[in-house]
Amino acid sequence: MAIKVGMVSLGCSKNQVDAEIMLALLKKGGYTLCADERQCDVVIINTCGFIEDAKRESIENILEFCRLKEKGKLKVVAVTGCLAERYRQEVASEIPEADVVLGIGRNADIAEAIHKALHGEKVVEFGKKEDLPLEGERVISNLPFFAYLKVADGCDNRCSYCAIPLIRGNFRSRPMEKVLEEARQLAEQGVTELNVVAQDTTRYGEDLYGRLMLAPLLEELCKIEKIRWIRVLYCYPDRITDQLLEVMANNEKIVKYMDIPIQHVSGRLLGLMNRQGDMQSLTALMENIRAKVPGVILRTTLITGFPTESEEDFEELIRFIKKVKFERLGCFAYSAEEDTPAAEMDGQIDEELKKHRAQIVMEEQYGIMEAFNRSMLGKQLWVAVEGFDGETYYGRSYMDAPDIDTKVFFTSSRPLKTGEYVLVTINGVQEYDLAGKASI
């Protein structure tokens, strides 16, 4: 009887790609993949360990499936991903109910580890971070018309608040020919939207080729016939070059969307974060992007409550938000992560104040988005169909990255298929989302 294996993958899109490579290895190893984790023999929790909330979610999932195993509804619980890599032996010792704990450097051994656990052996194994598989077949775990294309792993930026280098190691790009080969394979499988990701996508190629190679890579990706949309996520502000902007502006397949996590605009705080820039330089950057890529949608992520953030620093951030008017924005209260320099800094901010400031940012952003959405009334957008909720279809326009941005809800006079691209006339606003009617 075939062993059914399910996976819960938490956290970011980069972690999801790792999960999809492991799913393909399990399938190749003779296991049956199971979408309903509660109907499986084995469940793998591919964890996130980035900030406190993510760690808590990972642990809650692990414990939930361990309880199911105790009730006899599961045979094996396995823990992989960033939490397992970051805390290694602590995960194994503090959650003894977990049968398998694998660091990211041993992801390639997932099928063998499950086999051992099914035969009564507890498996706790770690390897070099650099041994994380960046190549290999994948089982796409989201809607089949889009996929994440991971072009690198790790990070060399060493932001003082961030644990990613501790978890993922140094930045390492994939050879361009490997990236293009995978993109062509995804296109042949029916993928029409590629979301290009890395911890720092704009750094792509610097380690392999001695120069930034994201722009040339995008030009090559545009040559893949069956790909319709190419989206670039996680751009580091210091490495957004005019060459990159020209490539974005001149290629129709590259959607006019940039995700640029800037974290703050106070030059003093950015210095403490081990980042560059200030309000003046970041404002100039956003103006340059909008000038060179007309119609571009700008997304950013901000941190409130970083150590020593004063009222003046926070007010400067609010002025910046009001001035730039990002079409998409997320904000997080600072999370003091152990073993990071920022966690040891003086001037830690009260938890409630951090959260209160984040709430103020998002309230400000709501008004900006509301005005932007009203400006879309009467306009037409191409929308990738994601589903039907019983009354209306819904999907994403070029303005929306999967899972993190808004939706377009719309009616259609004919049946539509998931993954189909339709032209929608916008005629309404539903809080953050748009509403419309498909033009058939």
Side-chain angles (χ1 to χ4, degrees), residues 263-266 268-269 272-273 303-315 317 334 346-349 353-354 357-358 361:
Q263 316 307 350
H264 215 283
V265 295
S266 162
R268 183 184 67 82
L269 285 185
L272 290 174
M273 291 179 179
I303 295 173
T304 56
F306 188 80
T308 76
E309 183 188 49
S310 65
E311 281 298 328
E312 290 76 17
D313 294 325
F314 180 66
E315 288 169 5
L317 182 63
Y334 166 70
D346 294 332
Q348 299 289 327
I349 306 295
L353 180 57
K354 290 190 289 188
R357 287 176 175 174
V361 168

Side-chain angles (χ1 to χ4, degrees), residues 151-373:
V151 299
D153 203 82
C155 190
D156 289 342
N157 292 329
R158 299 298 190 271
C159 299
S160 65
Y161 53 83
C162 184
I164 286 176
L166 302 173
I167 302 169
R168 291 277 172 169
N170 294 330
F171 183 85
R172 51 203 185 278
S173 300
R174 297 174 59 194
M176 188 181 292
E177 61 271 20
K178 294 288 189 180
V179 175
L180 293 172
E181 179 185 356
E182 180 179 2
R184 294 187 191 104
Q185 290 173 350
L186 290 169
E188 290 303 316
Q189 295 170 19
V191 169
T192 57
E193 176 188 351
L194 293 174
N195 294 275
V196 180
V197 297
Q199 275 77 18
D200 178 358
T201 309
T202 38
R203 198 174 202 141
Y204 172 72
E206 187 178 57
D207 54 325
L208 289 182
Y209 306 107
R211 62 189 182 97
L212 301 177
M213 292 292 287
L214 179 59
L217 173 64
L218 292 173
E219 288 187 305
E220 292 300 313
L221 289 172
C222 287
K223 296 176 183 177
I224 301 175
E225 186 176 344
K226 296 180 180 180
I227 297 299
R228 177 160 177 160
W229 282 356
I230 300 168
R231 188 184 308 274
V232 183
L233 301 175
Y234 318 124
C235 299
Y236 199 75
D238 299 352
R239 298 186 186 91
I240 297 174
T241 63
D242 284 350
Q243 181 194 16
L244 175 60
L245 297 179
E246 288 166 10
V247 168
M248 288 191 68
N250 296 330
N251 288 275
E252 290 185 2
K253 288 188 177 183
I254 304 175
V255 298
K256 308 311 180 248
Y257 176 108
M258 291 194 83
D259 186 332
I260 313 167
I262 62 169
Q263 316 307 350
H264 215 283
V265 295
S266 162
R268 183 184 67 82
L269 285 185
L270 287 170
L272 290 174
M273 291 179 179
N274 197 32
R275 296 174 68 95
Q276 298 180 7
D278 54 24
M279 183 163 178
Q280 182 178 356
S281 65
L282 288 167
T283 301
L285 172 64
M286 302 309 160
E287 290 174 349
N288 185 50
I289 295 170
R290 284 183 167 146
K292 287 187 164 56
V293 189
V296 69
I297 299 299
L298 292 179
R299 187 183 211 287
T300 196
T301 308
L302 303 173
I303 295 173
T304 56
F306 188 80
T308 76
E309 183 188 49
S310 65
E311 281 298 328
E312 290 76 17
D313 294 325
F314 180 66
E315 288 169 5
E316 185 177 30
L317 182 63
I318 294 296
R319 289 197 302 274
F320 176 77
I321 295 167
K322 289 180 177 180
K323 184 174 184 178
V324 173
K325 292 182 169 56
F326 289 93
E327 289 83 5
R328 305 285 184 261
L329 183 148
C331 185
F332 300 91
Y334 166 70
S335 175
E337 293 302 309
E338 57 192 307
D339 300 323
T340 63
E344 305 301 321
M345 289 180 181
D346 294 332
Q348 299 289 327
I349 306 295
D350 176 76
E351 196 68 31
E352 289 304 312
L353 180 57
K354 290 190 289 188
K355 292 179 180 178
H356 178 62
R357 287 176 175 174
Q359 182 180 0
I360 292 172
V361 168
M362 293 312 299
E363 288 173 354
E364 189 68 46
Q365 178 63 17
Y366 181 81
I368 292 169
M369 277 201 67
E370 189 177 41
F372 174 74
N373 281 348

